[in-house]
Amino acid sequence: MIKIRETYKYFTHLPGKESVIPLSCIKVRAYPCKIIIENIEVVLNITGPIKGFTHLLNIEKARVEVFGKGEEGYFHLHLFAKKGQILLKLHRGENISLTISQKEKNLIKGEVLPLFETNTIDLPQRKEKISFGCFKKPLLEKGVDRKTKLFSLCQLMPKTSSAQVELSQIEPLLKDLFSPQTEDVDYQGISIPGEPFSPFALFAPFYQQMRASILLETEDTITILGGGKKLPIAGRATNFACKECSIDILWRKGRALKLTITPFKDVEKRLLFPGNAKSFRIKQRPNDKGTILTHSSLLVLKAGQTLFIDNITY
């Protein structure tokens, strides 16, 4: 089986950095004693200096987390989008005093406070994942590769009109913890579309272009790593949905090594492996001897019967 161990989180200890709230088109700027959500300022009435301040984008849990420790004790806040609202919750800490729009509020542990209404989406039932084998601490200050986490986040963002921006140009426009911008504020020579667009329109083309470099599907053909030149030398992809099946992929040096295919219905499909592939082995169980098929052979897929493919020769 092909599995991914990577965790999809991204965080910083620096004050004043921006992130997005998954499932919404809302940005957050966090400081040790203040959180700005769009035009709402939430002041934390805590005596500092704050120790261990952290602003975390928890992509797996679809929320933003802000935590640290002041003289009054430890606090851990969650910001998340649900059912048309942006909500604030005290996850850890007995209570915390807040000032919101010049009004005092004492939030107790576990209490959820609605901040304002906005458009939100539901949490997807399934998510596609990719990993390039990097397990470094996902800290903004460390400059780790962000593409796998961004791919996961894109699936949690509302669909807006897609901006016509190339894959290599998109990531530099996502500042801090993936806060989208419409201007090249760092003057990196990024080509910005002439027509005005929503900054949140950057997420859809990143997801679409990254996915297309891993898997392409036509009526009767599935092409694996057809646009692999955009990918790192090694990686994994899991839970990639096709029309009639789900596919997991393991690759190295730009070539597929193993696949797992789980059909949803009975169907016949042709697999293509770019790079002059000659043959591959197909098995019904991981430890079977299997059967060797020539490249582009027609696969007969039966609903619920997982197929394992390996020994792909080039």
Side-chain angles (χ1 to χ4, degrees):
M1 302 295 288
I2 299 170
K3 297 182 179 180
I4 289 177
R5 294 188 291 114
E6 183 172 343
T7 57
Y8 295 88
K9 298 178 181 179
Y10 195 33
F11 68 96
T12 182
H13 299 303
L14 300 174
K17 296 299 181 182
E18 282 191 348
S19 66
V20 294
I21 299 180
L23 311 181
S24 75
C25 291
I26 300 298
K27 295 182 182 181
V28 174
R29 184 181 294 273
Y31 299 86
C33 289
K34 180 185 286 189
I35 306 172
I36 304 172
I37 310 104
E38 291 295 288
N39 297 320
I40 302 293
E41 290 191 0
V42 178
V43 177
L44 283 56
N45 300 318
I46 299 174
T47 306
I50 304 301
K51 298 179 180 178
F53 166 72
T54 303
H55 175 186
L56 184 146
L57 176 60
N58 192 331
I59 301 168
E60 292 192 354
K61 300 296 184 179
R63 67 189 179 215
V64 172
E65 303 180 23
V66 178
F67 52 92
K69 186 177 181 180
E71 286 191 12
E72 292 80 2
Y74 180 78
F75 66 91
H76 190 155
L77 295 163
H78 288 178
L79 274 163
F80 56 99
K82 188 175 182 180
K83 295 182 179 179
Q85 291 183 312
I86 298 299
L87 305 167
L88 177 67
K89 175 184 177 181
L90 181 61
H91 175 62
R92 290 179 62 188
E94 290 303 314
N95 60 76
I96 189 169
S97 173
L98 306 173
T99 300
I100 306 174
S101 301
Q102 299 181 340
K103 294 182 179 180
E104 299 289 331
K105 168 68 180 178
N106 189 57
L107 200 63
I108 63 175
K109 183 178 179 179
E111 184 179 359
V112 177
L113 176 67
L115 295 178
F116 56 88
E117 295 183 353
T118 189
N119 292 327
T120 64
I121 60 172
D122 294 330
L123 190 68
Q125 292 185 348
R126 58 180 292 155
K127 275 202 308 179
E128 299 171 345
K129 292 184 177 182
I130 58 176
S131 176
F132 301 148
C134 177
F135 300 105
K136 294 180 180 179
K137 184 182 292 187
L139 180 64
L140 171 66
E141 295 89 293
K142 293 288 186 179
V144 297
D145 189 293
R146 314 187 305 167
K147 292 182 179 63
T148 58
K149 293 165 178 51
L150 177 53
F151 182 81
S152 184
L153 175 64
C154 288
Q155 298 168 69
L156 300 180
M157 301 308 295
K159 300 296 187 295
T160 63
S161 56
S162 181
Q164 300 301 311
V165 186
E166 285 297 316
L167 184 68
S168 62
Q169 307 277 299
I170 295 174
E171 192 179 354
L173 292 174
L174 301 172
K175 302 293 293 180
D176 301 341
L177 306 180
F178 303 127
S179 174
Q181 312 294 320
T182 57
E183 296 181 8
D184 181 11
V185 294
D186 291 331
Y187 299 97
Q188 300 184 67
I190 300 170
S191 178
I192 307 293
E195 294 295 323
F197 64 95
S198 164
F200 287 88
L202 292 169
F203 292 105
F206 183 92
Y207 169 75
Q208 294 160 359
Q209 293 178 55
M210 181 63 75
R211 191 183 194 279
S213 68
I214 297 171
L215 183 147
L216 287 170
E217 181 183 20
T218 60
E219 189 64 31
D220 61 355
T221 301
I222 298 174
T223 302
I224 306 298
L225 304 182
K229 292 181 180 180
K230 298 178 180 178
L231 298 172
I233 193 169
R236 298 166 184 248
T238 61
N239 210 30
F240 268 52
C242 296
K243 292 179 181 177
E244 296 92 2
C245 63
S246 174
I247 297 182
D248 301 339
I249 306 166
L250 171 68
W251 75 85
R252 187 174 297 121
K253 295 183 179 180
R255 292 179 172 180
L257 297 182
K258 294 182 180 181
L259 274 74
T260 303
I261 303 178
T262 304
F264 307 139
K265 59 176 69 174
D266 295 353
V267 68
E268 293 184 351
K269 287 284 186 179
R270 205 176 302 276
L271 276 183
L272 296 180
F273 302 96
N276 298 318
K278 297 179 177 64
S279 64
F280 58 89
R281 179 171 66 176
I282 185 169
K283 303 181 293 184
Q284 293 186 348
R285 286 177 292 273
N287 296 325
D288 285 352
K289 290 185 178 179
T291 303
I292 302 296
L293 298 178
T294 58
H295 181 244
S296 77
S297 293
L298 198 64
L299 292 181
V300 179
L301 305 177
K302 298 293 184 180
Q305 295 182 5
T306 299
L307 293 181
F308 303 90
I309 295 173
D310 61 7
N311 282 16
I312 305 168
T313 59
Y314 292 88

